[in-house]
């Protein structure tokens, strides 16, 4: 799931990747909104809010939304630099390394928010999560050759509509029936992503209400386990 890349990936690997990391993104995004009223991964909404505040000359909130967008982009830049370096050295586990970094950062963020009481907890939380969501989205995009996205669902919802329309044309004999399995597989992938994001969001709110910011530690631990398992499995396969 975190080692095979691009065209070498199976449909099952893409579905597992989409289901797991979309659930994580949904949990973090909705829990952040539940906590402080801002989304960490919804760049469409954040850019729209930036535009509205700039139009009204509300510079202080406008600058905050600008920072959210900038940190998301910075996370994607950071992730891509690591991935590029790993690909040049033929390190197949570099994608898992980025998820390991995300998991470790979430655990640190959970500790900071739970016990160290930062002076601006909402700002620290949203900017940190925006950076990590940018990092995660870059990982998923690069490893799947842009077939999978996990931190937002606007594009995914559009893709579902496209595949449904293609299947409708197959039924009407306007498209070749030979392509139907491809459309069905894409529809399955995008539907898995949307449903996982939805269920992850529900779980994120429940976990936040039950555990507070300690739920970040739990999710971080899960990502670390996922990354280490993928890396160790890859090394084991290479040695057999």
């Amino acid at each position: 799931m975190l080692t095979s890349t691009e065209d070498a990936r199976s449909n099952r690997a893409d579905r597992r990747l989409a289901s797991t990391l979309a659930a994580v993104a949904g949990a973090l995004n909705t829990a952040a909104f539940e906590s402080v009223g801002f989304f960490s991964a919804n760049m469409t909404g954040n850019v729209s809010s930036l535009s509205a505040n700039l139009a009204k000359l509300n510079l202080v909130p406008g600058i905050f939304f600008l920072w959210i967008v900038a940190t998301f982009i910075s996370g994607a830049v950071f992730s891509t630099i690591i991935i590029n370096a790993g690909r040049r050295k033929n390190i197949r586990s570099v994608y898992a390394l980025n998820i390991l970094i995300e998991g470790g950062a979430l655990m640190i963020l959970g500790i900071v928010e739970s016990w160290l009481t930062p002076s601006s907890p909402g700002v620290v939380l949203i900017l940190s999560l925006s950076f990590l969501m940018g990092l995660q989205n870059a990982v998923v995009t690069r490893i799947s050759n842009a077939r999978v996205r996990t931190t937002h669902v606007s594009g995914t919802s559009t893709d579902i509509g496209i595949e449904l329309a293609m299947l409708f044309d197959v039924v009407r004999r306007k498209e070749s029936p030979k392509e139907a399995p491809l459309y069905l597989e894409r529809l399955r992938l995008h539907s898995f992503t949307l449903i996982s994001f939805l269920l992850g969001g529900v779980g994120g709110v429940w976990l936040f209400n039950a555990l507070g910011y300690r739920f970040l530690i739990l999710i971080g631990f899960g990502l670390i386990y996922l990354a280490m398992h993928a890396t160790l499995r890859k090394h084991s396969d290479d040695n057999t």
Side-chain angles (χ1 to χ4, degrees):
M1 183 176 76
L2 286 173
T3 53
S4 58
T5 59
E6 299 174 356
D7 294 334
R9 293 179 61 80
S10 67
N11 292 326
R12 182 171 179 268
D14 277 347
R15 288 196 300 271
R16 289 177 59 202
L17 181 72
S19 299
T20 304
L21 294 186
V24 169
L28 295 176
N29 210 36
T30 53
F33 187 79
E34 178 79 0
S35 172
V36 295
F38 293 95
F39 289 115
S40 60
N42 181 11
M43 293 303 107
T44 302
N46 288 329
V47 172
S48 297
S49 296
L50 169 61
S51 300
N53 281 286
L54 290 179
K56 298 174 183 177
L57 298 180
N58 296 328
L59 296 183
V60 174
I63 290 172
F64 179 61
F65 282 108
L66 178 62
W67 272 109
I68 294 176
V69 175
T71 53
F72 186 93
I73 294 172
S74 298
V77 170
F78 176 80
S79 178
T80 302
I81 289 173
I82 294 176
I83 291 170
N84 288 346
R87 286 166 68 104
R88 284 192 293 268
K89 297 178 180 178
N90 200 31
I91 301 174
R92 297 283 297 279
S93 59
V94 67
Y95 301 96
L97 173 62
N98 269 341
I99 298 302
L100 184 68
I101 292 172
E102 180 185 1
L106 282 173
M107 294 188 73
I108 293 172
L109 180 62
I111 292 170
V112 169
E113 293 285 352
S114 297
W115 290 291
L116 300 184
T117 315
S119 57
S120 301
V123 173
V124 172
L125 177 70
I126 293 300
L127 294 183
S128 297
L129 290 181
S130 293
F131 181 89
L132 295 176
M133 290 296 94
L135 179 152
Q136 176 180 304
N137 209 38
V139 170
V140 173
T141 300
R142 292 297 300 278
I143 196 173
S144 70
N145 199 22
R147 287 189 296 269
V148 180
R149 302 293 177 95
T150 59
T151 62
H152 54 277
V153 294
S154 297
T156 301
S157 300
T158 302
D159 291 335
I160 289 173
I162 290 171
E163 302 308 333
L164 286 173
M166 298 304 292
L167 288 169
F168 179 63
D169 276 351
V170 169
V171 172
R172 296 193 304 148
R173 300 295 179 178
K174 301 295 184 180
E175 294 288 336
S176 171
K178 294 180 180 179
E179 300 297 324
L182 175 61
Y183 301 144
L184 283 169
E185 182 54 44
R186 289 175 179 170
L187 179 61
R188 188 178 298 113
L189 172 63
H190 300 315
S191 298
F192 265 92
T193 304
L194 178 61
I195 293 170
S196 296
F197 191 95
L198 171 66
L199 296 178
V202 173
V205 172
W206 288 347
L207 285 172
F208 177 76
N209 289 333
L211 302 175
Y213 291 114
R214 287 171 292 181
F215 94 100
L216 296 171
I217 300 173
L218 180 63
I219 293 180
F221 178 81
L223 288 176
I224 290 173
Y225 172 81
L226 182 70
M228 292 185 67
H229 177 74
T231 301
L232 293 174
R233 182 174 181 178
K234 172 60 181 167
H235 288 167
S236 175
D237 291 342
D238 290 341
N239 293 329
T240 56

